[in-house]
Amino acid sequence: MELRQLEHFVAVAEEQHFTRAAERLAVSQSGLSASVRALEQELRAPLFSRTTRSVRLTEAGQALLVEAERTLAGARAARDAVDAVRGLLRGTLTLGVEQCVAGVSPARLLGAFRREHPHMEIRLRQEGTSSLLEGVAGGRLDLAFAATVSPPEWRGDLVPLAREPMVVLCAPGHPLAATGTRPVAWSALDGESFIDFHPDWGPRRAADEAFAAAGVRRTVALEVSDVHSLLELVHQGLGIAVVPHHFSRKPEARGLVTVEVDGAEPAVYRSVVVLPPAGTMSPGARALMALVREAPVR
């Protein structure tokens, strides 16, 4: 079993398509197919269920994918460590970002990183909190900027970035807008129509936890996957949104009314850097974390 074969296998598993995987790896499709077949023959098990329209992992393929990602991550870390000793920072930095992260600007950080380490390849994945945690744990990501409410048991580090309250955003004509600067109780939101993100996004998890703690049930009528859409729907009076306070400072939120929520336990949104277990952080991740610690909080 060769690293090249594992790279081919992981690419097909991620793309779920041999042609796209071959294009991504810049190899011929016939060569890629032959590499995967040779791997299946060596393991004596089919790794993919193939049809004319789709490619799916078999049970054996799912088991191999976890170990293949770890093996490839270890190989990359080994190469990066040798380059670091030689005074070079090469290789690939793969990081994940949740779009609603607060306390740091990933774009500005990566710009500074590229200027300091021009020979490093940067790969960015935007995903939800659960996927980011799984990605770092499995070695698919070197580190991640994520949102977390109650951090799960984690073998690595969760480095705090920001902590802020959750607030309500509503259109000027909504009854809640008449409360002025007075906070409202969670119970006052009962029966409202809510606009929110998909369940895996950090702000949604924070809001869900806050409503559960207050004993208030709610229905998310409109579910989106980006901040712009959420704020536009609130502008149109289609519902209200419970979001981290920094959303109210976005240009797209201009004209919306911000209402604080009063409760026995304040609803808090936290942003963190998700790091792998001690001793396994790549040189690229260490270099990026050095910039994170130098960056001013935004």
Side-chain angles (χ1 to χ4, degrees), residues 72-290:
L72 292 173
R76 287 194 299 269
R79 287 192 293 265
D80 293 346
V82 173
D83 283 341
V85 169
R86 296 169 55 213
L88 303 172
L89 201 56
R90 299 181 184 273
T92 303
L93 172 69
T94 304
L95 70 154
V97 177
E98 181 160 342
Q99 65 165 307
C100 308
V101 71
V104 71
S105 170
R108 285 198 290 269
L109 272 176
L110 291 180
F113 183 86
R114 171 60 57 81
R115 290 189 291 274
E116 289 197 12
H117 309 289
H119 300 295
M120 285 287 293
E121 179 183 356
I122 300 172
R123 294 180 182 173
L124 180 66
R125 302 285 184 269
Q126 189 177 74
E127 301 174 357
T129 296
S130 297
S131 296
L132 293 176
L133 290 169
E134 292 171 1
V136 176
R140 182 169 56 87
L141 300 173
D142 291 308
L143 77 167
F145 297 99
T148 184
V149 186
S150 298
E153 184 177 348
W154 181 249
R155 292 183 300 131
D157 289 330
L158 294 174
V159 180
L161 285 175
R163 185 177 185 276
E164 60 181 334
M166 300 286 287
V167 298
V168 176
L169 290 183
C170 64
H174 192 278
L176 286 173
T179 62
T181 59
R182 290 182 290 108
V184 299
W186 288 105
S187 58
L189 306 180
D190 190 16
E192 292 286 349
S193 180
F194 290 91
I195 304 165
D196 214 325
F197 298 100
H198 294 295
D200 192 36
W201 290 102
R204 170 69 178 271
R205 290 156 64 101
D208 285 346
E209 185 173 276
F211 277 99
V216 177
R217 297 183 62 182
R218 70 164 182 157
T219 300
V220 177
L222 302 174
E223 201 171 74
V224 299
S225 59
D226 66 281
V227 179
H228 177 80
S229 295
L230 180 142
L231 296 175
E232 180 62 24
L233 291 169
V234 176
H235 269 292
Q236 294 302 318
L238 294 169
I240 65 174
V242 178
V243 296
H245 189 268
H246 76 271
F247 278 34
S248 65
R249 298 190 296 271
K250 291 181 176 295
E252 301 97 319
R254 191 173 295 117
L256 295 179
V257 176
T258 301
V259 182
E260 295 182 3
V261 186
D262 187 22
E265 292 292 333
V268 176
Y269 172 84
R270 299 179 180 88
S271 293
V272 298
V273 186
V274 182
L275 299 176
T280 63
M281 191 159 49
S282 69
R286 287 196 294 271
L288 186 64
M289 281 305 296

